Structures are given as structure tokens and as C-alpha cells.
Amino acid sequence: MALLELAPNHKTGLALRSRAVAASGCWGFADEYAGLVDFAQLGAFITNPLTYAPRQPAAARAALPFPGGVLLHTGLPNPGLRSAVQTYAAKWARMPCPVIVHLALNSGAEVTQCLALLEQLENVAALELGFRADEHAHTISELVRAACAGMLPVLAALPFERAAECAPIAARAGAQVLSVSAPPRGTLPGPVSGRLYGHGVFPGALHNLQAVQALTDLPLLAGGGVHTPEQAQALLAAGAAAVQLDSVVWSQPAQLPALLQALAL
């Protein structure tokens, strides 16, 4: 079987059986969509974002449609990493594709504590670090360096609004893969601010990929509003090693078979 090595410069690597990756923030924490998609057809599954301590939903949660997609305001609710490990570790171990845990952390000390948990888990093959749009360069470097001190490959999810700026920072800190797939932020009348998902995101995602590809030789995991095989192929042609699939799983699931076929090795 053909394999894609996404982290060739890491001592354990990150071998994928497909270029299709389930994106953080849309597929849940484990097997919520297993009845809809055969996870064996995915190269990897990235969990919803997890923080070190639990976070409650935003008081005024919202899902507002706009031409080309939807704005989601959730407050990043999650049970915290320790509770998530207790709840989902057995499911992660049974998944037929590698699991990448997405972490949204505040310090290198939090990273170190999370690594102590994650490195013991079966089938957790890597971690993806997420950053706020206004994350300071020193914090990005601190988080990536702390993560790279561990045993797992590190994917740095570049902020959408600052992808080209943050790519060299994450690369110098030691990230093995750059994830050019974070959803942008936006505001709709109300006003309500949140993350944007859907077809309307794709042009900016492709622009970011092209900008980052010109700056680095690291493998790139790209995504953002990919709902058609043609969009997936456009990201591969622009330099992506693999493609993250996000809102398509809940907005146009009928498109998934064609996307998985287009991204098969």
C-alpha cells in the first residue's frame, strides 16, 4: 500500500494512507462521524481543539449563515485534555487511521504536561498546535519548541490572518509540518464574531498556501472551505502534501466520497 510520509524529518515520522485529513473543529473529538465516513479512508483524524483546562461554551453561542458559508461562535468548549484522554483514549486507539490531537495552549509548561499524557497513548501519532490570530511571535516559538522536545511530530497550525508571517517562526522553532488550514475570523451584524467556514473561505485558503509555500520547504497540510475535488486538487497543485476537510462533513456530506477518491494515494 502506498504511504505519504508527512513528517520526513521526524524520527518516528507520520505515515498517511491518504491525502485526506479530518480537520480540527468540524469532526468532533473522536468517532462522531464514523457512521457517515469510513475512517480507514482518511489519512489522519485531527481532534477538535483541546485546552489544558476545561472550557465552557460561550454564553451566546451562534451559527449564522452568510453567502458562501457560516459563522460559528462557540467559545471553544471542550472537556480539557486530561478528561478528554479518559473519555476518548480507547476510541482513539481503535481508529483505523492515525489520530492527531489539536492543542490550544498558553505556555510551554502546559505543552510539557500535555505531552506527558499524549505520548503514552496508542494511535496518537502527532499533535497540532493552534494559535490565536493575535498570538505573539515569542509565544508561538515557545509553544513549538516545547512540543518539539517531546516524542511526537509537531504540526503548527498557522493563524489564517498571519500565515505567511508565522510560518518562518514555527519553522525556526522546529515544527515538522506547517498546517495552513486554520479558519479565518469574521463578524456579522449583531455584531457577532467567530470562525468562518464554507465555500467562501477557499480563495483565501489557496492564497495563504501559495504565500507559505514560497517561504519554506517543510511539508504543508492545507485546507479551508474545500468542498469539491477540484478545490482539493488545486491545493495539491499549489504545494500541499495533504488536504484537511472541514465543514464539508456537516454541510455537504454527499461530496465526501468524491473528495476521498480525489485525495487517495
Side-chain angles (χ1 to χ4, degrees), residues 46-261:
I46 306 182
T47 70
N48 273 7
L50 287 163
T51 50
Y52 184 68
R55 285 185 58 158
Q56 297 300 313
R61 284 172 286 176
L64 302 178
F66 67 92
V70 62
L71 179 151
L72 295 182
H73 172 61
T74 64
L76 199 65
N78 74 92
L81 181 64
R82 191 173 298 277
S83 179
V85 166
Q86 294 173 347
T87 303
Y88 301 116
K91 292 183 177 181
W92 293 342
R94 293 194 299 268
M95 281 190 176
C97 65
V99 172
I100 300 172
V101 175
H102 183 107
L103 298 174
L105 304 177
N106 296 313
S107 67
E110 284 190 353
V111 173
T112 300
Q113 294 181 72
C114 289
L115 285 174
L117 290 173
L118 294 176
E119 290 178 347
Q120 309 304 315
L121 301 183
E122 185 180 352
N123 202 38
V124 170
L127 60 88
E128 181 181 65
L129 293 176
F131 310 106
R132 300 189 310 272
D134 62 351
E135 199 83 75
H136 196 284
H138 291 310
T139 304
I140 293 174
S141 183
E142 175 191 355
L143 294 173
V144 173
R145 288 184 187 280
C148 290
M151 300 295 293
L152 298 172
V154 176
L155 291 68
L158 308 173
F160 188 97
E161 298 81 358
R162 299 168 56 213
E165 173 193 347
C166 295
I169 298 169
R172 287 195 297 269
Q176 285 86 41
V177 182
L178 298 181
S179 184
V180 193
S181 57
R185 295 196 66 85
T187 302
L188 289 175
V192 179
S193 296
R195 298 287 184 179
L196 305 178
Y197 295 90
H199 278 291
V201 173
F202 181 76
L206 180 57
H207 175 81
N208 276 347
L209 174 62
Q210 292 172 334
V212 172
Q213 195 275 335
L215 297 173
T216 183
D217 293 327
L218 287 178
L220 303 178
L221 178 57
V226 176
H227 284 229
T228 69
E230 292 76 18
Q231 290 172 325
Q233 290 294 340
L235 292 180
L236 295 177
V243 173
Q244 289 198 24
L245 303 177
D246 49 29
S247 57
V248 66
V249 72
W250 39 260
S251 64
Q252 290 184 295
Q255 286 287 89
L256 285 171
L259 280 164
L260 292 172
Q261 182 176 359

